[in-house]
Amino acid sequence: MKKTLKDKLSDKLVDAFLKGKIISALPVKFTKKLAEADKFRKLCEDKIKEPIIGYKAGGTGIPLLKKLKEKEPFYASIFKRNFLKSGQRVKINKSTFGIELEVCYLIKKSFFSTKATITNKNVSKFISHMAPCIEVVGYRQKKKGIKSFGDLSSDFGANVKFLIGKKKNIKKLI
């Protein structure tokens, strides 16, 4: 069976992810609209046979949402290989944007089996710990700047590496 352009490009991006390489920019038709970029990201994530340790929400800042004319943030998987322990090194290249300070929440397993509706009032009972997190943000493509959320979402949420600080029990913080 002949591979489509989408399959060939996803193979290239997955290879770049696994080997730490930079590829040429993806065509705009896969990155302009967030819905199309999410389909492409999911196709790529399905091809990676490594454990997913969490998820990140991207584009949550209201000024960025307004600037890029988006209605809602996107999410992407965090793979175990992207998680750094203290003292490990990060390879920085021209496609790396920089770092972001984030907050990480450790979710209890009961969250995934609950049948109840999750609301702002009851969500805290599913969070066991929280921690500071540093995210190294960048592309695996030769691209400059951000034109849409699709650019970020199609490239595994533009997350390169994560470093998580000391976890604190959520009960002690409330």
Side-chain angles (χ1 to χ4, degrees):
M1 188 171 131
K2 194 173 180 179
K3 283 190 170 184
T4 64
L5 176 64
K6 195 174 193 175
D7 284 329
K8 288 179 185 177
L9 290 171
S10 66
D11 287 343
K12 278 178 82 172
L13 190 59
V14 167
D15 189 52
F17 174 82
L18 295 173
K19 295 181 180 173
K21 295 181 178 180
I22 304 295
I23 62 170
S24 56
L26 294 171
V28 176
K29 74 177 187 177
F30 295 119
T31 62
K32 189 169 185 174
K33 294 183 179 174
L34 185 57
E36 199 60 40
D38 275 343
K39 288 179 195 173
F40 187 79
R41 177 189 49 77
K42 288 174 187 170
L43 176 66
C44 292
E45 287 176 351
D46 288 344
K47 291 182 178 187
I48 297 174
K49 303 298 180 208
E50 293 186 3
I52 294 173
I53 61 166
Y55 298 93
K56 72 162 268 189
T60 55
I62 294 171
L64 184 63
L65 284 166
K66 288 181 179 178
K67 181 180 178 186
L68 297 176
K69 297 178 179 101
E70 295 288 348
K71 291 177 179 64
E72 60 186 40
F74 63 90
Y75 78 95
S77 301
I78 300 172
F79 291 90
K80 192 169 186 172
R81 72 171 34 235
N82 289 10
F83 180 76
L84 295 176
K85 291 188 170 77
S86 183
Q88 288 184 306
R89 296 176 182 238
V90 178
K91 194 189 306 183
I92 303 293
N93 56 43
K94 291 179 181 176
S95 298
T96 305
F97 294 150
I99 63 172
E100 290 181 358
L101 182 61
E102 304 283 354
V103 177
C104 161
Y105 296 98
L106 188 62
I107 307 294
K108 295 177 185 175
K109 288 187 179 184
S110 62
F111 172 82
F112 300 102
S113 60
T114 187
K115 303 269 189 266
T117 304
I118 308 298
T119 65
N120 285 339
K121 290 182 180 179
N122 72 358
V123 72
S124 62
K125 77 177 186 180
F126 295 107
I127 300 171
S128 65
H129 293 79
M130 64 187 287
C133 175
I134 296 174
E135 177 187 8
V136 179
V137 182
Y139 285 135
R140 289 165 191 85
Q141 309 168 49
K142 294 175 187 166
K143 243 183 191 181
K144 299 236 189 230
I146 303 166
K147 293 180 180 69
S148 70
F149 274 0
D151 287 340
L152 299 172
S153 178
S154 65
D155 198 344
F156 299 100
N159 60 21
V160 177
K161 297 287 179 185
F162 282 91
L163 176 66
I164 295 181
K166 188 176 178 180
K167 295 182 267 188
K168 298 279 184 186
N169 190 318
I170 193 84
K171 304 291 185 263
K172 293 178 185 172
L173 297 171
I174 298 174

